[in-house]
Amino acid sequence: MVYVGVDVGATYIRIGLVNEDGQVINKVKTRQPASGDENTVANVIIKSIRDLAGGGGIDGIGIGSIGPLDLREGIVPWAPNAPIKRFKLVEPIIKEFKVPVVLGNDAMAAVWGGEYLFGIGKGVNNLVYITLSTGIGAGVIVDGHLLVGKDGNAHEIGHMVIDVNSEIQCGCGGYGHWEALGSGANIPRVIKEFIKGRSYRSRLYERLVKGEYVSTEEVFQAYYEGDELATDFIDNYLMKVHAAGLASVMNAYDPELIVLGGSMALNNMDLFRRGIEKYLKKYLAVKPARIEFTRFGDDIGILGAAALVIKVPESLRTYVEQYRKFLELSY
């Protein structure tokens, strides 16, 4: 049997064919459309699935998407970090292929399929997967049960408040959120605030003072080159932010294992491990969880999404049944 996994990120959409043993057979990656209407994202996905399947049959489609989500309607009502803010997913895709479609948050999919069923979290009943990338999100399994919530957003840890005094606004509209202070999309804004009232002998500092845009990748590169500002910002601020976020997750869910993924974490594993270990106990109230990095790389999203339909979590079955309303015939 062959399934489709669709990983809808803020920057890229990754789509792959996956067998029931969790092996990615073939895959394709495309950028998020820069503009369009509420059907544009689904149309890109539909075309990619057609190209991948090549006329062959598929047995189901799992979608792991950035959120927040409205699981009942199968849509993303407002995506803070994506070019198109509101878009449909389930309705156009299920109408096109007429096979079961299961939708979940991208990190929810990653924890279920990427780690709990097929990865290093296999056999672990209290598990959290966290993606540190353009945004920050999580998938949470407590006592073997995938947490979903009333709308499918029980895991939006990126919007936990880390700093009540922060005036940095998150893409969702709130202030002081973990994602606003520590995500890849927001570091260029945060470092500009960080240097206020400070001075450094630093090329990075000189560029910022001149009003130049400095990307997240450039901040990390400057860190590895020994830049004074980058070193202070990452070691003494950014790592505190992520340690506080991870401690809050451990305090809330009491997991045995936390698996980290996302490009920012995976491209800087030693740095994140060292930085988090330095500050974690300062914020922790429970026994610390073991921290690992996903072994699936970018495939975690595809594999996790496909797993949602390979073995549908009990907490999502109600929504899968509701998606029949989008079809004139049942599958």
Side-chain angles (χ1 to χ4, degrees), residues 33 52 71 97-98 118 123 127 144-145 173 187 190 211 273-274 303 315:
L52 272 178
L71 280 186
F97 296 103
K98 296 182 174 59
F118 299 118
L127 168 68
H145 182 77
I187 285 174
V190 176
R273 187 181 295 281
R274 184 174 67 248
L303 178 57
S315 45

Side-chain angles (χ1 to χ4, degrees), residues 7-13 31-33 66 79-84 106 134-135 185:
D7 176 20
V8 182
T11 307
Y12 293 100
I13 301 171
R31 289 194 71 89
Q32 269 277 8
I66 51 172
N81 299 315
I84 301 174
D106 53 353
T134 304

Side-chain angles (χ1 to χ4, degrees), residues 127-141:
L127 168 68
V128 180
Y129 172 85
I130 298 175
T131 178
L132 301 175
S133 190
T134 304
I136 296 174
V140 183
I141 293 174

Side-chain angles (χ1 to χ4, degrees), residues 294-311:
T294 183
R295 299 168 188 170
F296 294 115
D298 286 344
D299 284 350
I300 183 72
I302 292 172
L303 178 57
L308 290 178
V309 72
I310 292 172
K311 185 177 180 180

